[in-house]
Amino acid sequence: MRVRIRVGIRVSVVLLFMQWATSVWALHGDFANCRHQFLEVPLAQDDSNDFALCFTGYAVQYSGRHRIPVFSAAMLDRARMEGARRTPRVGQFYEEARLPSRVRSLLSDYRQSGFDRGHMYPSGDSDGVETSEQSMSLANMVPQAPDLNRGVWNKIEQDVRRFVERNGGPVYVLTGPVVDDAQPRTIGRGVAVPTHVWKLVHDTVGKRSWVYWIENRNDARKPEIIDVAELEKRTGLSFPGHHQTCDRCGNAAGAVLNSTIEKPAEKATQGHRQSR
């Protein structure tokens, strides 16, 4: 009898530990309401302080540790791009109330920081006023070098939109920052400044993927084009389902690969505002 009781206690303890471990090391929330924005949801090595956020038109996995996105995700097709052309860029930057205050980035974090509030999901991809407004959530922003944000990064976003219009879609786009975990630079109350930003494009029609990779610097002029396996090495994320090779990335990725941008746009657009 005593043996059975002891075994029963041990099993109960193990089960309780497993439940506790699952709750500790699990992503806060899920993407059930916006699963259609993903080909497959990327996997992080440790997402215990990350938050899944569904917006109208896109999704974000937000890092409570760094107070910026881990990535944004959106499914784009020709119909969405046609709608985006008709949609005015509206909305104001706002703090994401769904996040706990202890991890939430604030408008004040960016003031006089020298960095733009750089969209990971671009406002220019929004095919409706509500999506455009929700793209202004600070949960969708990273501190981005102003000349990069308004120059070559803006051009990358435009090239992806042109590709989607030509291709028809669906095209799945993931966008994210990279932070130096050893010595992260921060602004405000601890908002991490990325060393690099990246954009993964998955073409379901041509069954190919490629990644734009560029330093978060004002003097960045041209992205490096890498494959998904290399992106996994550099970020520590896993991208199941995205590993189709791209033999002609240069052609698919657009004219940005063969050009440089000597100076940023003179005036920021609605989707690329200055920090203030």
Side-chain angles (χ1 to χ4, degrees):
M1 180 66 70
R2 290 180 180 177
V3 172
R4 289 180 181 177
I5 292 174
R6 288 175 181 174
V7 170
I9 292 173
R10 288 174 183 173
V11 171
S12 298
V13 169
V14 169
L15 289 174
L16 286 171
F17 175 80
M18 290 175 64
Q19 292 173 357
W20 172 83
T22 300
S23 65
V24 169
W25 297 108
L27 178 71
H28 296 273
D30 58 53
F31 293 113
N33 293 328
C34 52
R35 181 63 182 78
H36 58 286
Q37 301 296 349
F38 298 88
L39 177 67
E40 296 287 347
V41 177
L43 302 174
Q45 293 178 350
D46 177 10
D47 58 7
S48 59
N49 201 24
D50 291 354
F51 297 80
L53 299 172
C54 289
F55 296 87
T56 302
Y58 74 105
V60 162
Q61 183 160 321
Y62 179 86
S63 169
R65 176 184 178 190
H66 295 308
R67 305 189 186 208
I68 58 175
V70 178
F71 57 77
S72 71
M75 188 282 289
L76 306 179
D77 56 22
R78 184 176 292 133
R80 280 196 67 170
M81 295 301 92
E82 291 172 352
R85 285 203 305 272
R86 298 190 298 268
T87 300
R89 305 279 75 81
V90 295
Q92 299 291 327
F93 292 108
Y94 66 93
E95 297 166 5
E96 185 52 62
R98 290 179 292 172
L99 293 169
S101 58
R102 62 183 172 80
V103 300
R104 189 186 310 156
S105 58
L106 306 177
L107 293 168
S108 58
D109 290 329
Y110 285 84
R111 292 194 185 112
Q112 298 181 339
S113 68
F115 290 94
D116 279 5
R117 289 162 286 201
H119 292 67
M120 293 291 90
Y121 167 78
S123 177
D125 288 355
S126 301
D127 59 344
V129 169
E130 185 177 3
T131 306
S132 182
E133 290 175 338
Q134 291 190 15
S135 75
M136 307 300 282
S137 169
L138 288 188
N140 183 42
M141 305 294 160
V142 304
Q144 197 163 23
D147 290 356
L148 172 65
N149 184 38
R150 303 169 216 170
V152 67
W153 189 251
N154 186 28
K155 190 175 190 306
I156 290 171
E157 294 172 342
Q158 293 175 16
D159 282 353
V160 171
R161 283 193 281 273
R162 283 192 288 268
F163 173 78
V164 174
E165 287 184 300
R166 293 195 306 270
N167 186 65
V171 174
Y172 292 91
V173 181
L174 294 163
T175 309
V178 178
V179 174
D180 180 358
D181 282 329
Q183 292 183 316
R185 180 180 179 183
T186 62
I187 61 172
R189 298 186 313 151
V191 177
V193 178
T195 60
H196 296 77
V197 286
W198 54 267
K199 185 177 290 289
L200 189 165
V201 181
H202 179 81
D203 168 20
T204 61
V205 176
K207 300 188 186 309
R208 55 188 173 175
S209 299
W210 65 90
V211 181
Y212 300 94
W213 173 274
I214 193 166
E215 282 191 90
N216 186 24
R217 295 168 55 97
N218 281 319
D219 59 358
R221 291 291 177 264
K222 191 173 181 179
E224 180 184 1
I225 303 304
I226 61 175
D227 61 22
V228 175
E230 182 62 26
L231 180 65
E232 290 180 328
K233 292 177 184 177
R234 297 184 185 187
T235 63
L237 298 170
S238 296
F239 299 94
H242 294 81
H243 284 81
Q244 286 89 342
T245 58
C246 181
D247 296 330
R248 296 184 177 180
C249 283
N251 292 333
V256 70
L257 302 180
N258 300 313
S259 64
T260 59
I261 294 180
E262 299 301 331
K263 59 181 180 179
E266 293 182 1
K267 189 175 182 179
T269 63
Q270 181 81 4
H272 294 269
R273 299 183 184 182
Q274 295 180 0
S275 60
R276 58 184 181 271

